[in-house]
Amino acid sequence: MQVEPTLSADAHGVGLAAACGRREDHLGYALKQAHQLMRAAIENRARAIGLGLTFPHMAALFLLSETPGLSGAQLARWAMVSPQTMNQILTRLEAEGLIVREPDPEHGRILRARVTDAGMARFLRGCELADSLIDEAQADFSADERAELLRLLGKCQNNLLRIARAEKAPIADIEGFPGCNPRAEAGGPGQKAQKIDLTRVWDGNRR
């Protein structure tokens, strides 16, 4: 019986690197690494000040602060996690008094969630922490460089949305995501830079 050769994890990684180019020169890798580093730093600082929220908890609070009354199923779709995972997140937030869930007046089995005053106060502390970290990450950027970074990322987002629409990809939930507002290509250096709200970035791998 002939056994097909298999690649080790390292060899597989080398093959992917060769196919995609150098990792450090690859946009997808750079974005993912920046996301992971920012997320790790935010959660580390949140633990240090006793915030009691992980990145996924802050993301859920963000979604509900932007769109009160979302159901667990809607939150799960926007957060790209399973309904079971989202239910665990909401159960903890509810137990801590940060959200309340009430039956939908027309469909009683559906629970609509909203952020309490205590939840909003905790969430805003997390936003301040994230904004501070983002400012540090861009500490040696000029105002023009900050604006240019956002402009270029906005162009990438516009291109990807155009591709997805042309290929009829299922992006209705993504387009409805709070804060999903592709930037116009007008503007650039000299335009006032906007803060990036890190809680809008969510991969849902932890809870």
Side-chain angles (χ1 to χ4, degrees):
M1 177 178 174
Q2 185 176 4
V3 179
E4 293 292 331
T6 59
L7 291 175
S8 67
D10 287 342
H12 185 63
V14 170
L16 287 177
C20 299
R22 290 166 54 86
R23 285 187 304 176
E24 56 267 35
D25 296 333
H26 195 274
L27 175 62
Y29 178 81
L31 291 174
K32 183 64 174 177
Q33 186 177 53
H35 164 68
Q36 290 176 326
L37 289 169
M38 282 188 159
R39 174 173 175 156
I42 287 173
E43 290 200 335
N44 185 60
R45 292 191 180 185
R47 283 192 297 270
I49 65 172
L51 187 62
L53 293 176
T54 64
F55 202 89
H57 294 116
M58 287 198 290
L61 290 174
F62 162 72
L63 290 168
L64 290 172
S65 69
E66 292 282 309
T67 312
L70 292 173
S71 68
Q74 290 171 313
L75 284 165
R77 286 196 297 272
W78 276 350
M80 293 180 287
V81 298
S82 70
Q84 293 81 5
T85 295
M86 181 53 65
N87 185 60
Q88 292 176 359
I89 292 170
L90 295 177
T91 296
R92 175 176 165 183
L93 293 175
E94 187 174 35
E96 294 187 12
L98 304 182
I99 67 166
V100 293
R101 287 187 285 180
E102 300 169 337
D104 183 281
E106 296 183 4
H107 305 282
R109 295 183 62 184
I110 298 176
L111 296 178
R112 301 288 179 183
R114 62 177 177 82
V115 182
T116 63
D117 290 343
M120 183 58 69
R122 186 93 63 92
F123 171 65
L124 290 176
R125 287 181 63 199
C127 287
E128 291 175 1
L129 182 152
D131 283 344
S132 175
L133 178 66
I134 293 165
D135 278 340
E136 290 181 48
Q138 301 177 97
D140 55 352
F141 287 23
S142 68
D144 284 352
E145 287 173 331
R146 293 188 183 203
E148 181 68 357
L149 174 61
L150 291 179
R151 188 184 72 83
L152 292 174
L153 289 174
K155 288 186 71 173
C156 284
Q157 186 179 11
N158 285 333
N159 290 339
L160 290 169
L161 282 172
R162 186 178 65 252
I163 292 167
R165 288 168 182 152
E167 297 178 358
K168 295 182 171 55
I171 60 172
D173 287 331
I174 297 174
E175 291 182 298
F177 186 91
C180 183
N181 181 24
R183 294 177 177 82
E185 295 186 10
Q191 185 180 31
K192 185 178 179 181
Q194 301 176 11
K195 288 184 181 296
I196 302 173
D197 188 343
L198 247 280
T199 58
R200 298 183 184 208
V201 184
W202 155 278
D203 62 22
N205 292 330
R206 294 169 61 187
R207 59 181 183 272

